[in-house]
Amino acid sequence: MNHGQAWVHSARDPEPNTSMHRMSAEWSVPYAKIVENDLGLIASTLVPVKDELDRQFASNIYSVVGAAADRVGNVVEAKKAGSFAESMLEMLEKIELGVDREGNVSMPQIHAGPDAYEKIVKEIDNVPQDISDRIEKLKEKKIQEALEREEKRKNKFKRDT
């Protein structure tokens, strides 16, 4: 599927490499199964195509997000921070929380592969209490800042009373 060549927004400076990325998957349909009128053929041949495109999309989206984070310096390394707990604190300091249309603050998510996920869960369980307290205090501050930003944003619009 081709969805154009690049995303362009006339009010912004050009972004580096805004070109589209090609994703493809091969779809093989055995002739013998068609002759046998095997309706299971639909799922058995389309599911692998969907799975391959899902894999490519995930790989692409994480590489694009990673490159954007690198470009703006929004990267945290646990080894440089000194510990996983310190890197969590540093990560929270660098981000800005958002607010959804219902007024709920969106907390950050950590995306990781299965091996890294298990390690992260263990590390989270072993965060020292002093750092955990600092993280909670910072979270509350970030939540308050997000709500204040949203209130300021909403106040820019005319309201019917």
Side-chain angles (χ1 to χ4, degrees):
M1 292 184 216
N2 188 357
H3 294 285
Q5 297 301 314
W7 295 111
V8 178
H9 192 292
S10 60
R12 291 179 24 199
D13 292 332
E15 301 270 336
N17 189 16
T18 59
S19 63
M20 298 293 174
H21 299 270
R22 183 179 303 262
M23 291 184 277
S24 64
E26 186 175 307
W27 185 17
S28 243
V29 181
Y31 180 74
K33 296 287 186 180
I34 294 172
V35 171
E36 294 169 4
N37 199 26
D38 182 358
L39 293 179
L41 182 67
I42 297 168
S44 68
T45 60
L46 281 177
V47 168
V49 170
K50 176 210 131 345
D51 291 346
E52 176 59 19
L53 291 174
D54 284 349
R55 186 195 64 72
Q56 289 178 39
F57 179 76
S59 175
N60 185 33
I61 195 78
Y62 285 116
S63 69
V64 168
V65 169
D70 284 340
R71 242 188 349 266
V72 297
N74 229 3
V75 177
V76 175
E77 293 182 43
K79 289 180 182 176
K80 284 184 182 178
S83 71
F84 174 80
E86 289 287 347
S87 68
M88 291 296 292
L89 187 60
E90 183 182 343
M91 180 268 313
L92 194 55
E93 287 171 348
K94 288 185 173 206
I95 63 172
E96 185 176 281
L97 302 180
V99 179
D100 67 18
R101 64 178 61 200
E102 282 85 36
N104 302 311
V105 176
S106 303
M107 296 307 293
Q109 298 177 358
I110 297 174
H111 293 233
D115 296 337
Y117 176 80
E118 289 177 17
K119 185 177 179 184
I120 289 170
V121 168
K122 287 178 187 173
E123 292 283 352
I124 287 173
D125 290 340
N126 295 319
V127 172
Q129 190 59 47
D130 64 317
I131 295 177
S132 182
D133 293 343
R134 288 170 52 200
I135 289 172
E136 287 304 315
K137 187 175 179 182
L138 185 55
K139 270 178 31 182
E140 286 304 316
K141 177 185 172 200
K142 293 286 187 167
I143 288 169
Q144 200 56 40
E145 288 172 353
L147 292 171
E148 288 170 6
R149 265 192 322 277
E150 179 64 4
E151 190 61 32
K152 284 180 186 176
R153 185 194 70 79
K154 286 174 26 180
N155 286 336
K156 292 179 183 178
F157 299 97
K158 194 181 217 181
R159 296 181 191 203
D160 294 330
T161 53

